């Protein structure tokens, strides 16, 4: 059995509930799934400012739960918020939604499109995909709705906007598969796949499956150089004073 923590770095309880439900549907039944929010952060993550603010809350959760024996982490934000910093903080493998989804998409289609809610996220995601070496076969489009529109009374309007942006990318960009560019879309992947007739990759599902595999293989994050533990020193600020966790 593996103990996997899925951390939604924003404060949307609705998104976290969606993520928890989806994870329990697709994770192997012998694995323990924890779905968590930080105690502070933005309501949603849309662009660089939100991402930077949310990273601190994400790291605070990892610091709190890592000593309990977590075998792997999923950062449930498509911006892969704080993933690199998290890999420095824990020896357990850490996977963001964008990286997980991109790896799946590369195996399923020659060209694919990431459809994200807002235009403010397009350039950050283009940079992120370039970091993963996957930009040659990827296009990023915005649906023109807010992230939080995928909850509550606006959910159907948001789905229509997503559907239209995805179809346009299939028709105009040469895309052969669609990647959902937001954790809040996790519950509509099957619907969009049926409507469009092409593979639709949900980052929540992709990241969980990658982490399950790494945990089953007893893999850990290398501490040799890039993701080495932060140097011993104190960190001061509005969220209290703390020192880096000792590696177990």
């Amino acid at each position: 059995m593996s103990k996997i923590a899925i951390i939604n770095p924003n404060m949307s309880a609705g998104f976290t509930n969606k993520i928890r439900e989806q994870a329990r549907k697709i994770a192997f039944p012998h694995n323990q799934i924890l779905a968590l929010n930080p105690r502070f952060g933005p309501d949603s993550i849309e662009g660089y400012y939100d991402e930077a603010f949310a990273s601190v809350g994400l790291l605070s959760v990892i610091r709190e739960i890592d000593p309990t024996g977590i075998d792997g982490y999923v950062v449930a934000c498509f911006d892969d918020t704080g993933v690199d910093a998290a890999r420095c903080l824990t020896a357990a493998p850490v996977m963001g939604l964008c990286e997980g989804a991109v790896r799946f998409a590369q195996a399923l289609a020659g060209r694919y499109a990431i459809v994200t809610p807002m235009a403010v996220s397009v350039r950050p995601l283009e940079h992120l995909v370039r970091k993963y070496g996957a930009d040659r076969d990827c296009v990023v489009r915005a649906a023109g709705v807010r992230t939080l529109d995928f909850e509550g009374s606006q959910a159907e309007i948001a789905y229509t906007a997503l559907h239209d942006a995805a179809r346009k990318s299939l028709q105009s960009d040469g895309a052969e598969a669609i990647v959902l560019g937001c954790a809040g879309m996790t519950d509509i992947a099957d619907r969009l796949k049926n409507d469009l007739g092409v593979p639709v990759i949900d980052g929540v599902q992709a990241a969980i499956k990658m982490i399950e595999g790494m945990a089953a293989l007893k893999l850990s994050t290398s501490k040799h150089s890039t993701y080495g533990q932060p140097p011993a020193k104190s960190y001061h600020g509005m969220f209290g004073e703390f020192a880096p966790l000792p590696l177990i």
Side-chain angles (χ1 to χ4, degrees), residues 111-123:
R111 185 166 174 78
Y112 57 94
I114 297 171
V115 184
T116 188
M118 295 183 67
V120 70
S121 296
V122 170
R123 291 297 286 167

Side-chain angles (χ1 to χ4, degrees), residues 42-109:
D43 288 338
S44 60
I45 300 173
E46 294 157 327
Y48 288 127
Y49 182 89
D50 291 343
E51 182 181 356
F53 187 56
S55 295
V56 182
L58 167 77
L59 296 175
S60 73
V61 175
I62 293 175
R63 283 186 50 80
E64 182 176 337
I65 68 174
D66 204 58
T68 67
I70 305 298
D71 297 300
Y73 292 92
V74 172
V75 177
C77 174
F78 204 84
D79 289 346
D80 288 1
T81 298
V83 165
D84 286 328
R87 287 171 176 164
C88 296
L89 191 58
T90 178
V94 181
M95 182 61 59
L97 304 194
C98 181
E99 185 172 7
V102 162
R103 303 307 182 201
F104 270 62
Q106 289 178 307
L108 296 173

